[in-house]
Each structure stands twice: as structure tokens, then as C-alpha cells.
């Protein structure tokens, strides 16, 4: 597993052979950070944030928005982009 810290936003733990891409990462710390899960599985521990500034992960045409909790998102190998 690989652990990635996004200061003030979230700690991400990527399972082996997982891949995420940055969709939007504004300079302002109060703006929404959005990633796309391209392959595999990610566990996110998200710092509590305002609803407008949540953390988002896009996967297979669905956007998961979080404002402060822990969750897992997985993408099946055959899922549509």
C-alpha cells in the first residue's frame, strides 16, 4: 500500500496496483480537491471541511463527495471510464 498525505485535506491509502489522477487541486486551502480513481482501491481519511469545500473522488462516472469521514472507494477492472 502507498500512503499519500494531502495536508489539511485527507490521507489516502492506495491498495497495490491502484492509480489516482488529480482532477482539480486549487491553490486555496478552502477549495474542493478532486481526484479520479483510475484503477484499484483507495481508502480516504478526510479532514472535516465545509460542505462547499469537500473532498471528492470520481470513479466510473460517479462523484463521491466527503466533508469529513473515512471511506473506501474501489473500481472494478471492467468498469466503464
Amino acid at each position: 500500500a502507498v500512503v499519500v498525505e494531502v495536508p489539511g485535506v485527507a490521507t489516502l491509502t492506495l491498495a497495490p496496483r491502484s492509480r489516482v489522477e488529480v482532477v482539480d487541486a486549487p491553490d486555496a486551502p478552502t477549495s474542493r480537491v478532486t481526484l479520479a480513481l483510475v484503477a484499484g482501491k483507495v481508502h480516504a481519511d478526510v479532514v472535516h471541511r465545509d460542505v462547499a469545500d469537500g473532498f471528492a473522488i470520481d470513479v466510473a462516472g460517479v462523484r463521491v463527495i466527503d466533508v469529513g469521514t473515512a471511506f473506501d472507494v474501489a473500481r472494478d477492472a471492467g468498469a466503464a471510464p
Side-chain angles (χ1 to χ4, degrees):
V2 174
V3 177
V4 178
E5 178 76 25
V6 183
V9 177
T11 300
L12 307 172
T13 304
L14 280 73
R17 293 179 297 286
S18 295
R19 194 172 101 218
V20 295
E21 294 178 351
V22 177
V23 174
D24 192 21
D27 293 330
T30 58
S31 297
R32 177 172 292 153
V33 173
T34 304
L35 304 177
L37 180 60
V38 177
K41 179 179 178 181
V42 62
H43 174 81
D45 284 308
V46 181
V47 175
H48 182 76
R49 298 167 61 89
D50 185 89
V51 172
D53 302 325
F55 170 79
I57 295 180
D58 294 341
V59 59
V62 176
R63 176 166 284 178
V64 177
I65 299 174
D66 188 282
V67 293
T69 190
F71 66 98
D72 295 321
V73 176
R75 182 181 179 124
D76 292 333

